[in-house]
Amino acid sequence: MTEPTHSSMNPLCVDLDGTLVRTDLLYEQLVVLIKRNPLALLFLLFSLLRGKAAFKAGLADRAGGELDVANLPYDDEVVAHIRRNKDMGRRVELVSGSHETVVARVARHLDLFDDWLGSHDGRNLTGKTKARLLGERHPGGFAYIGNGAADLPVWAASAEALLAQAPSDRPRLARKIKGLGIASKRPVGRWTGFIRALRMHQWAKNGLIFLPLLLTLSDRTGWADVIACAIGFGAFCLMSSGSYFLNDILDVQADRRHPTKKTRAVAAGAISIRAGATLGLGLIAAGFALGYSLSSAFVWVMGAYMALTLSYSFLFKRLIALDVLTISVLFLLRADAGGVAIDRPVTVWLAAFLLFFFLALAIGKRVIELRAIDDLDTRDNGRAYRTEDADVMTATGVTMSIASVMLFLIYAILEQHSFYSNDWAIILTVGLLAYWVLRFWILIHRDRIDMDPVAFVLRDPATLVTLVAIMAIALAEQLPRIMS
């Protein structure tokens, strides 16, 4: 890390977006506004006709006050650099292109700055405008910490240029600014953050697309059916990963207040909101393109899934009962997509079993969250539940689990001639399901599950053994028909 010289004690001026914080507050405010009132953004866009400064002023007026400045992803190295300079008696100023009201909120929260400047309705404080203003304020010279090409004019006018969020290799900007120092380095593992943001372990949910194929195996089943399900699986994986990016953006403020979700790539600032939105929309578009190669009907199912996902992100996740019901329907749509892919619709009793089973899992996830975090409320976590709801949610989840086992029994009996031909196969499968749901809820009650139920399923040895046993029974039932 480059330490500045303090012989002249020139004022230290610090940029905000991408420098003091590993995010852009313009996009942060846009997310706040979109979540609260998407239509307001459409009207706000007309202010761009009066320039960027007017747009920032309008955005700050509508959303700046709801920005959670206390939990922004501050760059610890930059903050430490500021503290060292402050302790040496150096004047420190926060100078940003963000609107002055937002800049003031950040400055007051950190209590490190002697003064702060930002954009207002008649001035967009970026680039050459910022360089000219700082030159006029500090004719004897100033030091400046910035993070990108937009800061080149300011660095050129400064007596001491410092780069925040510097890449591991020698920054290209160093070739343009003589003597460019390093104030902080970009966190390592950004690609790891990107991979984690894809939620690849959640792709296991999309395995439900293969369920209609597995339940209708016969001598007429061909490789075309397998390939169709595989393509559908890939399309849903792309779309679901893209939707996770968008969901992380919409939940960014709530995630930063969560003890574990605050490490997510978007919440931590490892992936910018702009990059996350671009990646998310690109993955969704790729998923739909792949799905269209199957059929237009498959695309309609994907569209329903995406519409319900967005409804969940914007509204349903904050409503009692509708949040978990929406999650269970999303699981059901995956299985329905598999039926559409091979033209073998999901039966009503199978649909009922899937709906109740995954409703129980969704409730289980809420119970895990409620038991893990104290004093949750809608303001803090974006949910409609409180800690005192854990008991009633547990009782409801257990009830839904029992109902799902009974629905599977009804399905297996009614479909006995097309799938299960042996009564004992039905009894064994139902027994294994009952064992699993009972164990699942006991482990939740004992606080033995501290993760997403899907992650638990993928990591728990007993669950995997149970799943293998159920599949072995089903395969034993189907093999004679396939071989005949």
Side-chain angles (χ1 to χ4, degrees), residues 206-226:
N206 299 324
L208 283 171
I209 288 175
F210 291 95
L211 187 61
L213 174 66
L214 296 174
L215 295 178
T216 58
L217 286 174
S218 68
D219 55 348
R220 295 188 300 275
T221 302
W223 281 107
D225 296 322
V226 178

Side-chain angles (χ1 to χ4, degrees), residues 113-126:
F113 300 96
D114 298 291
D115 201 358
W116 49 85
L117 299 167
S119 298
H120 54 67
D121 200 0
R123 179 189 68 192
N124 186 34
L125 194 58
T126 59

Side-chain angles (χ1 to χ4, degrees), residues 463-484:
T463 297
L464 295 176
V465 170
T466 304
L467 182 60
V468 169
I470 291 174
M471 294 181 65
I473 294 170
L475 186 60
E477 285 289 286
Q478 291 296 304
L479 271 179
R481 298 173 187 174
I482 298 173
M483 301 301 293
S484 63

